[in-house]
């Protein structure tokens, strides 16, 4: 890998889950902000020298951090979710932003489908049933067939479409809802809105970004439309789901089940979730494979290198 031709200061505001150590082998002037004993003091003295910020979807960048770096020109984000950035503010500052589109799509779609299968076939309950020594006491209850279940996808972007491809292989009927009009190249039916999609679906898959428009959009009305046989799967962001409404619907049996990778409060989800029935939870691991995290680190590095060389960015947002 050829090193960039210019030096600059890069602050790594977030710990990379997979070692992107090779990025340290070239002559960039890198500062790991998160490792410094007093990041604020460092920023007060050197913030004006920073041209590139590397951050992640988990950390984003606060206004205060951006204020401390008036010469900033690029934020290279590790991840595709950009809800921890004020996009209008970033643009107004003349800062370019990159994400890691397509580096993680297939792995997030796999996790979404694993949650779907776990939810419909009640795999975690079955595991607990065997471990509790209850098998000999009676039969495990029948569940619904995956191939007979209708899959509604809310947010038909990269991940939503990758999930649809998997659903097709399982023989599931698919429909979707999104803001943009139906495209002739997409053969699945497009339903008018989320409530209509929920009413049609046996499994409702949430794949839209966290925005002001989608905040709490999966509310009691949507959950009731999905109904006592329905399964909610959320791999997008916790903020899309009204968790109070979800806890009530699951506790009262008005919703059949839910399977969640993402939560309103991470990494300490609402403790009431631990007690509700028919809920599968994993700790925001959609992209947590060695391959995806390596590819994401590569995208970050490629974007920084392209910026420093004055070349087109690989994944400009
Ligand atoms: P994407 O390609 O941008 O797709 C998002 C889709 O959502 C777009 O096609 C957009 O289509 C649709 N959308 C946006 N606002 C909407 C609204 N108000 N109502 C209905 N549809 C709306 O993004 P992606 O790569 O598929 O990622 C989707 C989200 O998944 C990310 O934003 C991120 O939060 C989450 N994610 C989670 C994980 C994880 O580890 N669990 C990993 C990666 C990403 P229209 O513009 O046509 O509406």
């Amino acid at each position: 890998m050829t090193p960039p031709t210019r030096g600059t200061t890069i602050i790594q505001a977030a710990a990379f889950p997979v070692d992107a150590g090779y990025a340290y082998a070239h002559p960039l002037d890198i500062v790991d902000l998160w490792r410094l004993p007093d990041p604020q003091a460092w920023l007060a003295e050197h913030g004006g020298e920073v041209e590139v910020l590397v951050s992640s979807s988990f950390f984003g960048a606060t206004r205060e951090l951006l204020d401390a770096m008036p010469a900033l020109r690029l934020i290279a984000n590790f991840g595709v979710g950009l809800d921890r950035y004020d996009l209008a503010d970033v643009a107004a500052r003349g800062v370019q932003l990159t994400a890691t589109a397509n580096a993680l799509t297939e792995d997030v779609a796999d996790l979404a489908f694993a949650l779907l299968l776990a939810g419909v076939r009640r795999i975690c309950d079955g595991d607990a049933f065997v471990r509790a020594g209850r098998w000999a006491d009676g039969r495990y209850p029948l569940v619904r067939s995956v191939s007979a279940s209708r899959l509604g996808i809310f947010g038909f972007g990269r991940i939503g479409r990758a999930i649809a491809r998997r659903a097709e292989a399982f023989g599931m009927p698919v429909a979707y809802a999104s803001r943009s009009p139906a495209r002739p190249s997409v053969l699945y039916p497009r339903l008018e809105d989320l409530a209509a999609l929920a009413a049609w679906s046996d499994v409702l898959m949430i794949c839209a970004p966290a925005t002001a428009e989608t905040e709490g959009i999966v509310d009691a009305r949507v959950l009731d439309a999905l109904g006592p046989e329905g399964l909610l799967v959320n791999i997008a962001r916790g903020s899309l789901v009204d968790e109070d409404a979800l806890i009530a619907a699951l506790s009262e049996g008005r919703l059949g089940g839910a399977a969640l990778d993402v939560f309103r409060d991470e990494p300490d989800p609402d403790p009431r979730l631990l007690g509700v029935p028919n809920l599968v939870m994993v700790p925001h691991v959609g992209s947590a494979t060695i391959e995806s995290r390596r590819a994401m680190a590569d995208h970050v590095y490629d974007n920084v290198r392209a910026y420093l060389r004055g070349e087109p960015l690989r994944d400009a947002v």
Side-chain angles (χ1 to χ4, degrees), residues 94-252:
V95 175
Q96 298 185 83
L97 179 60
T98 61
T100 57
N102 296 320
L104 45 63
T105 301
E106 301 303 325
D107 281 329
V108 179
D110 283 350
L111 194 269
F113 222 83
L115 289 173
L116 182 159
L117 292 170
V120 175
R121 298 301 303 261
R122 301 240 186 260
I123 288 172
C124 299
D125 287 348
D127 180 87
F129 184 82
V130 175
R131 286 176 196 279
R134 292 171 52 207
W135 193 354
D137 300 342
R139 283 200 198 146
Y140 193 65
L142 299 182
V143 296
R144 299 288 304 277
S145 162
V146 170
S147 59
S149 301
R150 302 200 282 196
L151 175 63
I153 301 177
F154 179 68
F156 207 59
R158 289 174 297 251
I159 295 171
R161 287 196 293 268
I163 293 167
R165 288 200 300 277
R166 285 156 177 75
E168 223 167 89
F170 275 76
M172 300 178 78
V174 173
Y176 72 101
S178 67
R179 291 170 309 179
S180 39
R183 274 174 275 152
S185 60
V186 178
L187 300 179
Y188 311 114
R190 175 182 178 278
L191 301 188
E192 264 322 297
D193 59 21
L194 178 56
L197 186 70
W200 177 88
S201 302
D202 298 305
V203 179
L204 179 63
M205 183 71 76
I206 306 301
C207 308
T211 62
E213 200 186 343
T214 61
E215 166 82 28
I217 197 166
V218 182
D219 57 12
R221 194 172 69 101
V222 170
L223 297 174
D224 284 339
L226 190 53
E229 299 287 319
L231 173 74
L232 174 76
V233 182
N234 186 10
I235 57 83
R237 285 290 182 268
S239 66
L240 279 84
V241 175
D242 177 340
E243 281 184 0
D244 289 337
L246 177 66
I247 290 165
L250 285 171
S251 305
E252 294 160 17

